[in-house]
């Protein structure tokens, strides 16, 4: 067992210190006990500290100049400013209305009435400008073709009736009307339609081919033929009774005019539309 004083002296020597009474110069071959050098002795020396890791010198990072601040983006103009303004105004009007309904104080109701009046005034300005443009721009006015006054309507109707009559007379020279019906006893509309067509046959000289779907009779066309499958060939088998169709014998063209009870004026008008007005140009 080591003497305590000797032990502490060894510890102080290992730590680099000198015990009291010992020379600082121990001679050419001094005794040395490095207890921090090996793993076995290092555990007994509480003052041993692990060696500090070597600090590796890092390559200096070149300084990069900071980019200039980006210019502040200007607010984009709305793509449809008038639409956005109108939508915002509508939302404002709705807010005033709902507020007045939910809390009908004098102030809230008055605010809604005032905004309604402002809308009426604005609509009046719009209508006034619209009319003034129509006055001086006839190609934008529908009144030239479709007059709205009572006198204008009368003149327009007379002109159209004359045009329809002339057209029907011309069509009657090349085409006839197929009249599909069922027995008078079960189809009252068929009997009434037969009367209308019989009168037009007399007035305009148009040929009427009356075809009975069920083999029944029609008072106005006693010599009608029963369908023997020809309606299916023409694509008319599934149409209800009564049905009228324009047919051109020379070409085999068939154009359905309508189903149900049609007046003479309606037949004239539909004939005019089918034969004289291209699709998409009626209005």
């Amino acid at each position: 067992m080591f003497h305590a004083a000797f032990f502490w002296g060894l510890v102080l020597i290992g730590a680099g210190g000198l015990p009291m009474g010992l020379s600082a110069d121990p001679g050419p071959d001094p005794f040395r006990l490095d207890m921090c050098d090996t793993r076995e002795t290092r555990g007994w020396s509480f003052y041993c500290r692990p060696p500090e890791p070597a600090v590796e010198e890092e390559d200096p990072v070149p300084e990069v100049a900071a980019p200039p601040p980006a210019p502040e983006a200007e607010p984009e103009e709305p793509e449809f400013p008038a639409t956005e303004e109108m939508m915002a105004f509508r939302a404002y009007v709705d807010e005033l209305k709902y507020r007045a309904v939910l809390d009908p104080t004098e102030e809230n109701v008055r605010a809604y009435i005032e905004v309604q009046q402002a809308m009426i005034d604005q609509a009046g300005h719009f209508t006034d400008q619209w009319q003034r443009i129509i006055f001086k721009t006839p190609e934008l006015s529908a009144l030239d073709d479709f007059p709205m006054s009572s006198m204008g309507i009368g003149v327009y109707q007379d002109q159209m009736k004359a045009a329809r009559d002339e057209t029907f007379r011309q069509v009657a020279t090349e085409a006839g009307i197929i009249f599909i019906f069922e027995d008078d006893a079960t189809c009252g509309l068929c009997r009434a339609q037969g009367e209308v067509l019989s009168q037009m046959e007399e007035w305009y000289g148009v040929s009427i081919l009356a075809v009975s779907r069920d083999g029944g009779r029609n008072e106005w066309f006693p010599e009608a033929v029963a369908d023997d499958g020809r309606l299916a060939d023409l694509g008319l088998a599934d149409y209800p009774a009564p049905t009228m169709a324009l047919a051109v014998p020379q070409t085999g063209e068939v154009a359905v005019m309508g189903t149900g009870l049609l007046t003479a004026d309606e037949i004239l008008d539909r004939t005019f539309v089918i034969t004289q007005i291209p699709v998409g140009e009626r209005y």
Side-chain angles (χ1 to χ4, degrees), residues 70-90:
E72 295 184 2
E74 297 183 0
E76 296 183 0
E77 292 292 333
E79 187 175 359
F80 302 102
T83 301
E84 293 192 9
E85 184 177 352
M86 180 59 74
M87 293 301 101
F89 179 70
R90 289 181 58 181

Side-chain angles (χ1 to χ4, degrees), residues 4-219:
F6 178 69
F7 176 76
W8 283 110
L10 293 179
V11 172
L12 292 174
I13 292 173
L18 294 175
M20 294 180 62
L22 295 181
S23 170
D25 185 9
D29 190 13
F31 177 78
R32 183 177 181 186
L33 181 60
D34 293 327
M35 301 186 70
C36 293
D37 289 346
T38 64
R39 182 171 59 83
E40 292 79 3
T41 59
R42 190 181 303 118
W44 297 95
S45 302
F46 63 88
Y47 61 86
C48 291
R49 298 179 180 176
E52 296 183 1
V55 179
E56 297 182 2
E57 294 185 0
E58 298 181 357
D59 295 335
V61 179
E63 294 185 1
V64 180
E72 295 184 2
E74 297 183 0
E76 296 183 0
E77 292 292 333
E79 187 175 359
F80 302 102
T83 301
E84 293 192 9
E85 184 177 352
M86 180 59 74
M87 293 301 101
F89 179 70
R90 289 181 58 181
Y92 172 69
V93 173
D94 287 343
E95 175 64 20
L96 293 181
K97 178 176 67 176
Y98 301 148
R99 186 185 303 168
V101 172
L102 296 175
D103 186 17
T105 64
E106 180 178 352
E107 179 183 1
N108 291 344
V109 175
R110 179 185 295 275
Y112 181 59
I113 294 174
E114 289 175 349
V115 76
Q116 285 278 41
Q117 187 60 51
M119 292 172 60
I120 294 172
D121 293 343
Q122 187 66 25
H125 298 331
F126 172 80
T127 302
D128 178 65
Q129 190 65 265
W130 178 294
Q131 291 179 342
R132 292 175 186 275
I133 293 173
I134 294 299
F135 292 165
K136 60 184 179 182
T137 316
E139 62 270 20
L140 297 179
S141 175
L143 299 181
D144 293 344
D145 297 324
F146 305 100
M148 299 301 294
S149 66
S150 58
M151 181 179 295
I153 291 174
V155 173
Y156 174 78
Q157 290 177 342
D158 290 343
Q159 291 177 337
M160 287 303 301
K161 187 177 186 309
R164 291 196 301 263
D165 284 355
E166 180 60 29
T167 296
F168 192 80
R169 293 182 188 280
Q170 181 61 36
V171 170
T173 62
E174 302 174 358
I177 296 178
I178 299 175
F179 170 41
I180 304 171
F181 69 92
E182 293 179 354
D183 191 273
D184 288 351
T186 58
C187 181
L189 292 181
C190 296
R191 182 183 180 284
Q193 189 67 70
E195 182 178 5
V196 172
L197 291 174
S198 177
Q199 293 174 349
M200 296 187 72
E201 185 180 37
E202 181 181 351
W203 296 339
Y204 298 100
V206 63
S207 298
I208 307 294
L209 174 60
V211 181
S212 174
R213 287 183 50 176
D214 59 357
R217 63 180 297 277
N218 183 278
E219 177 183 351

